[in-house]
Amino acid sequence: MEQIAERYRRRAGEFERRVAAVAVGDWARPSPCERWTARDVVAHVVDMHRVMLGPVNRDFERGADLLATFRAARSAVEAVLDDPEVAAQQVETPAGSLTVAEHVDQVVSDDLVLHGWDLARATGQDETMDPDDVQRLWRSTTSVPADVMAKYHTPGAFGPGIEVFGPEVAVPADAPLQDRLLGLIGRDPSVRR
């Protein structure tokens, strides 16, 4: 669990730096996520933190300041990961029964990396993902069974309005792994909005 907590902290720190670097006029810029602005990307990440905290009856203060709200969400998740008893609780998820820590690791922690790229692309920041995160996400994503991957690419398969991945984007086989990962989850690394 210590590795999960450390991975989350590192990824949340990078995401927070990107949120802090968004210029006031850039919040309304379109993101690579269809119909989402930069503001929507951060709001989604905050919402997913709330989803992770719900099964253990934890919450955080939410306000108009997205940076402050993300910091509150991050702090609440870190408190859960720092409590071995809470982090080890079993919760039911769409992927089956997981510990709270595993659920955080497989969902919101991974989201910080992927949506960090979305935010960086939308706001003109450095889009480079940590190479270890790219490797880890590539392995986990490519190991998903084909029937489950098809659901990930199907809007509404996990409930009304829920989209896990966009349609897969063809990326050259010799492209950098980060670009291939982005294509696999429905992002076109060659398109700038």
Side-chain angles (χ1 to χ4, degrees), residues 9 26 38 41-43 54 60 65 72 93 102 106 119 127-128 131-132 135 148 168 172 177 190 193:
R9 278 186 173 74
D26 287 346
V41 169
V42 178
F60 54 89
D65 181 331
T93 77
E102 290 168 335
Q106 292 179 21
L119 183 62
E127 302 170 2
T128 306
D132 291 336
Q135 286 280 347
V148 176
E168 187 171 350
L177 189 59
S190 68
R193 294 178 184 241

Side-chain angles (χ1 to χ4, degrees), residues 68-146:
T69 300
F70 176 74
R71 285 176 173 155
R74 176 185 179 183
S75 179
V77 166
E78 287 175 351
V80 165
L81 293 175
D82 288 343
D83 184 328
E85 195 172 300
V86 176
Q89 287 182 24
Q90 292 288 315
V91 294
E92 290 306 314
T93 77
S97 183
L98 299 171
T99 67
V100 171
E102 290 168 335
H103 197 210
V104 166
D105 196 39
Q106 292 179 21
V107 179
V108 79
S109 187
D110 287 353
D111 266 6
L112 291 168
V113 177
L114 301 172
H115 289 308
W117 181 86
D118 294 328
L119 183 62
R121 172 61 59 104
T123 59
Q125 298 182 50
D126 179 6
E127 302 170 2
T128 306
M129 295 178 190
D130 180 285
D132 291 336
D133 286 338
V134 172
Q135 286 280 347
R136 182 179 177 81
L137 288 167
W138 177 258
R139 281 191 308 272
S140 66
T141 305
T142 56
S143 69
V144 172

